[in-house]
Structures are given as structure tokens and as C-alpha cells.
Amino acid sequence: MKATEVPAIDGAYLFEPTPYADERGFFSRTFDAEVVRSVGLDPDAFVQDSVSRSARGVLRGLHLRSGAGEAKLVRCSYGRIFDVVVDLRPDSPTYLGRAFFELSDATQRSVYIPAGCAHGFQALTEPADTSYRIDRPHDPAEDVTIAYDDPDLAIPWPLPVTSASQRDREAPSLAAVLKRLDLEQTER
């Protein structure tokens, strides 16, 4: 497994395994604590694993957590997704940077998303299963959502959006979320 820094997002990494394929199918290591440790991350920091299944065209995001934030390790375990990360950390050298990835079951690549970054994806296949490892238990009171079609982000979603949650469809603009996060930071 190889870890590569993501230039557009400070502290983000792409983890690329080397699947072994033969006539039976394939075998792939999807997590390696030593490789995670080698880039300065604590593999024991992850406390919760989750999975979502999405139909082709479904869009999930853009999501992040307020407060201490939430770091994630995201992988498409079945199918393919178009994955998006946006850096919303005001002190980051890549503030407002965006990175796009295609994650799939064929490559089993994972993206590490630092706390303070927004994340979203669109399912490119029918279905697409997305696995998440997160470093804090989920607290719905800290959920923050940004409009996935915000013109300031201009994310090139590859397919028409066939479905999104009500929360995602009604999400505020990037500017409104940045203002909210700045106010929360000031109050701390």
C-alpha cells in the first residue's frame, strides 16, 4: 500500500493498495496501520466505521462537522463514486482548495480527509457502496451541510443528480456556512 499527499488539501492523503487479482477475483488490503502511521496519522484514532449504499446519480454532501471537526477515511467498496473534498480550515495553506477523486471497487483506494474539510460524493454506478472510518462518534447536533451546487465551488458533478436528501437539497451556500463557522470559532 502506498500513501500519497493530496496537493490541493493540506493533510489529506490518498492510500493506494495493490490488489492481487487472478481467475478467482481479487484480494486487497484496504487498511494498513503501519502505512497510516508512516504519514503521521494515528491509526487508533478511528472510532467508528459506517457504510452507505447509493443508487447511480445519488449525491451525498457536502458534509462536515462543526466544533472539533471529524477526520475520515473514505473508500468505495463496491461500484464507483466521484468523491469531493473542500478545505474549509481558515488557517490551512490550502484553504478553499478542492480535490476530486474517482474511488472504485477495482482500485480500493481510500482518501483520508482531515477534520475541517467538507466531503461529498456522487454514485457513478448502480449501486455504489461507500465505507467511512471516522475519528469521533457522530453527533447530529454538529452536522453542517453546504449546497452541493454552490457556484463559488463549481464542482463538476459528472452526472445529473437523481436524488439527494432534503437536508442536502436545502443546504445553505458556502458563504453562509463560512460565516456560521467563523462565528462559532469566535465564540470559543
Side-chain angles (χ1 to χ4, degrees):
M1 181 173 283
K2 176 176 84 170
T4 307
E5 289 183 72
V6 175
I9 309 289
D10 186 53
Y13 291 91
L14 185 64
F15 293 93
E16 299 180 78
T18 307
Y20 173 79
D22 63 18
E23 68 279 355
R24 300 170 294 167
F26 76 89
F27 174 85
S28 182
R29 179 177 302 149
T30 60
F31 181 79
D32 187 314
E34 287 306 313
V35 175
V36 169
R37 200 173 281 114
S38 76
V39 296
L41 303 175
D42 179 5
D44 298 325
F46 297 107
V47 298
Q48 185 176 314
D49 283 6
S50 301
V51 65
S52 67
R53 173 165 285 167
S54 303
R56 185 176 191 269
V58 166
L59 195 136
R60 295 181 187 260
L62 299 164
H63 302 150
L64 70 149
R65 301 250 318 265
S66 62
E70 169 185 87
K72 299 179 191 177
L73 190 60
V74 177
R75 177 174 60 88
C76 182
S77 55
Y78 184 83
R80 288 183 309 124
I81 63 171
F82 176 76
D83 199 72
V84 176
V85 180
V86 180
D87 190 345
L88 297 179
R89 302 166 295 170
D91 297 333
S92 170
T94 56
Y95 180 60
L96 297 180
R98 304 169 311 150
F100 312 121
F101 308 91
E102 184 173 295
L103 303 179
S104 73
D105 59 3
T107 65
Q108 294 294 317
R109 297 186 316 168
S110 298
V111 176
Y112 173 77
I113 302 163
C117 293
H119 173 254
F121 68 88
Q122 185 176 42
L124 301 176
T125 56
E126 182 75 40
D129 290 350
T130 305
S131 301
Y132 314 78
R133 286 195 140 170
I134 61 172
D135 70 345
R136 292 195 312 133
H138 182 248
D139 179 354
E142 296 178 329
D143 287 348
V144 178
T145 305
I146 300 168
Y148 62 83
D149 56 356
D150 188 289
D152 288 337
L153 292 172
I155 296 170
W157 300 108
L159 300 174
V161 176
T162 59
S163 183
S165 70
Q166 182 174 350
R167 181 181 100 179
D168 291 349
R169 288 190 315 272
E170 297 173 356
S173 68
L174 173 65
V177 169
L178 291 176
K179 186 175 183 177
R180 172 187 163 188
L181 294 174
D182 186 48
L183 285 172
E184 288 176 5
Q185 188 73 6
T186 303
E187 291 172 357
R188 276 194 231 153

